[in-house]
Amino acid sequence: MSNVAQYDVESIRNDFPILATEVHGKPLVYLDNAASSQHPVQVIHAIKDLYESGYSNIHRGVHQLSQDATKAYENSRAAIRGFINADCIHEIIFTSGTTESINLVAQSYARPLLKKGDEILITHMEHHSNIVPWQMICEQTGAELKVVPISDQGELEMDRFAELLSEKTKIVSVVHVSNALGTVNPIKEIIDAAHAKGIAVLVDGAQAVSHIPVDVQALGCDFYAFSGHKLYGSTGIGALYGKEKLLNKMPPYKGGGDMILSVSFEKTEYNTLPYKFEAGTPNIAGAIGLGTAIEYVQSIGLGAIAAHEHGLLEYATSKLKEIDGLRIIGQAEQKAGLISFVLDQVHPHDIGTLLDMEGVAIRTGHHCAQPVMERYKIPATARASFAMYNTFAEIDVLNEAIKKTIGMFS
Ligand code: 7TS
């Protein structure tokens, strides 16, 4: 599929069994995709089939099942490589998700490199998982955390970024798409500016990979982190892309089985990439499911998905803007499919509870981005986030449910 006119949302919805369920007697309107997206049958079946007829531990057995499971696991790595256009499969490390990917880079790339006086540059719109690991590194090394501010609309202040990027900066870690604001950041520009000063860049792609085509070679980023469960796969699986030459120089992050070539009490020799970073038995079913999820996304086409979600975003934005007393938090020029909002008279948690009674699932709270809440002087927002299977009719249900909520409070 290459354009919106051909986009068959009903046929996509038929692939997601959960979308046919009801909540409080109302058809489910699932708009909490930024927290976790739903699974298509293809992924559910891949995991079920594995456990029914192909499951075993990987990378160790000579028996057939182990070899088949290993092949399926490694095929998923190859699918991820293709999906983000990494140069080679060794550059794809399976992790438990974005959080672990960022911690891996913080501990294994940054920690050995940093000393007192060095700086780590992040932004004010990061998820806690791209703040706290760096604060831990600062405590461990004496380095300092610097933060690029954001404007009232929710865009990075790029002139401040340019000022903060200095010879003291040793790594830049920036979110591709903000989970609290929806902002799509100009990461190519950020990467180019950092590279001009010889500084490595980690991109947190948790909210990007299911919405925007990502080409890590075209971007030139040094590291790219994402999670499977926001990409129609399961929880507990994700990936870290890293440039081979950097990963090769980095020490292992965790020690254990599978990450070694040989072990003796005198000397242990570490395994080659990517296994050096994959200690212990991994989430085999999750990895295989993620490979299937990626194939599913590719079968529809990220370009078509992005266009569909952009249509939903524009429609929802125009509808919600008409509601008296509703304020959208995050009005960047470039946005992905999510809307964070507050109502004058209703706390976000009450919005979430009342919308739930209408079958509408949204997320409320600080979205693990408390500095964003502090920036806009609000305790929390209500957030509707879209996926490939959402419809314009569902936006209408959201719109009516918000109006009903306001009516109950006025
Ligand atoms: N980075 C961003 C931008 C995120 O949105 C999230 C999760 C993470 C990192 C962490 O991902 P994890 O899979 O390792 O937990 N964001 C959300 C959210 O917005 N609502 O629930 C989880």
Side-chain angles (χ1 to χ4, degrees):
M1 262 176 242
S2 59
N3 62 42
V4 193
Q6 293 169 321
Y7 194 83
D8 188 352
V9 73
E10 284 311 319
S11 118
I12 292 171
R13 289 179 72 80
N14 287 337
D15 286 333
F16 289 81
I18 205 167
L19 299 180
T21 58
E22 293 191 343
V23 172
H24 305 300
K26 304 272 170 63
L28 170 67
V29 174
Y30 188 75
L31 298 176
D32 193 17
N33 296 289
S36 214
S37 51
Q38 300 294 350
H39 292 56
V41 279
Q42 289 80 350
V43 173
I44 297 168
H45 288 168
I47 295 170
K48 183 170 170 279
D49 289 351
L50 175 78
Y51 284 127
E52 283 182 355
S53 56
Y55 174 73
S56 171
N57 208 331
I58 56 163
H59 292 155
R60 41 203 99 190
V62 291
H63 61 81
Q64 191 62 46
L65 276 184
S66 180
Q67 293 196 7
D68 290 350
T70 303
K71 204 167 158 204
Y73 181 83
E74 291 302 332
N75 281 347
S76 282
R77 195 191 306 278
I80 295 172
R81 188 214 64 76
F83 184 57
I84 59 170
N85 193 33
D87 186 37
C88 64
I89 51 168
H90 306 121
E91 296 182 318
I92 306 298
I93 318 287
F94 278 119
T95 64
S96 63
T98 310
T99 303
E100 191 185 24
S101 297
I102 296 172
N103 277 276
L104 192 166
V105 176
Q107 288 298 330
S108 182
Y109 174 79
R111 190 175 178 180
L113 185 80
L114 295 181
K115 54 184 189 325
K116 199 170 167 28
D118 289 339
E119 292 175 0
I120 298 162
L121 187 54
I122 62 168
T123 83
H124 206 120
M125 67 171 84
E126 302 306 324
H127 185 276
H128 296 165
S129 64
N130 200 23
I131 301 173
V132 185
W134 301 114
Q135 290 175 322
M136 290 162 66
I137 291 295
C138 288
E139 276 174 26
Q140 288 157 352
T141 64
E144 207 184 317
L145 194 62
K146 294 283 173 183
V147 182
V148 181
I150 44 182
S151 68
D152 289 344
Q153 290 109 287
E155 289 169 342
L156 290 179
E157 293 187 9
M158 291 302 286
D159 45 350
R160 293 288 294 129
F161 164 72
E163 286 164 21
L164 285 164
L165 193 69
S166 77
E167 61 287 352
K168 290 183 183 168
T169 315
K170 291 293 177 296
I171 184 160
V172 174
S173 193
V174 60
V175 70
H176 195 166
V177 174
S178 158
N179 71 317
L181 301 168
T183 312
V184 181
N185 284 319
I187 53 163
K188 175 76 180 135
E189 195 182 329
I190 290 171
I191 293 161
D192 288 348
H195 283 180
K197 294 196 151 112
I199 303 160
V201 181
L202 163 62
V203 180
D204 170 355
Q207 297 293 346
V209 282
S210 58
H211 307 292
I212 317 175
V214 170
D215 179 332
V216 290
Q217 291 191 76
L219 288 172
C221 57
D222 301 278
F223 302 102
Y224 197 97
F226 65 93
S227 303
H229 70 102
K230 298 178 198 293
L231 182 57
Y232 310 102
S234 301
T235 54
I237 189 72
L240 172 70
Y241 156 80
K243 281 185 180 157
E244 189 176 11
K245 69 175 190 317
L246 295 180
L247 292 174
N248 264 329
K249 282 192 215 143
M250 287 157 55
Y253 165 57
K254 297 186 291 192
D258 237 20
M259 53 72 74
I260 51 84
L261 289 175
S262 68
V263 176
S264 73
F265 290 119
E266 290 70 41
K267 181 171 168 51
T268 286
E269 210 184 327
Y270 303 134
N271 207 338
T272 51
L273 288 178
Y275 312 109
K276 181 171 87 173
F277 293 107
E278 294 180 1
T281 303
N283 181 351
I284 300 164
I288 291 169
L290 177 55
T292 309
I294 285 173
E295 281 163 16
Y296 183 79
V297 167
Q298 287 172 325
S299 75
I300 293 158
L302 256 182
I305 293 170
H308 174 70
E309 291 174 351
H310 189 71
L312 293 173
L313 175 70
E314 289 203 324
Y315 183 63
T317 304
S318 70
K319 284 275 178 190
L320 266 53
K321 271 187 170 164
E322 285 169 12
I323 299 177
D324 266 353
L326 185 149
R327 183 156 62 100
I328 294 177
I329 307 296
Q331 305 208 46
E333 198 71 28
Q334 300 294 326
K335 267 186 83 170
L338 75 82
I339 302 184
S340 251
F341 63 93
V342 290
L343 296 178
D344 279 348
Q345 284 164 0
V346 193
H347 191 279
H349 290 313
D350 293 327
I351 304 174
T353 306
L354 290 165
L355 261 56
D356 181 52
M357 296 312 293
E358 302 300 314
V360 182
I362 59 160
R363 167 109 193 249
T364 61
H366 54 60
H367 316 294
C368 298
Q370 282 185 329
V372 173
M373 302 300 123
E374 165 262 320
R375 166 67 178 78
Y376 297 102
K377 299 190 172 44
I378 46 175
T381 75
R383 181 189 69 187
S385 52
F386 313 128
M388 63 159 94
Y389 40 66
N390 289 122
T391 65
F392 291 85
E394 288 181 312
I395 306 291
D396 290 336
V397 177
L398 168 73
N399 186 37
E400 289 309 315
I402 296 172
K403 287 197 214 155
K404 191 169 168 186
T405 299
I406 295 172
M408 290 170 81
F409 276 80
S410 57

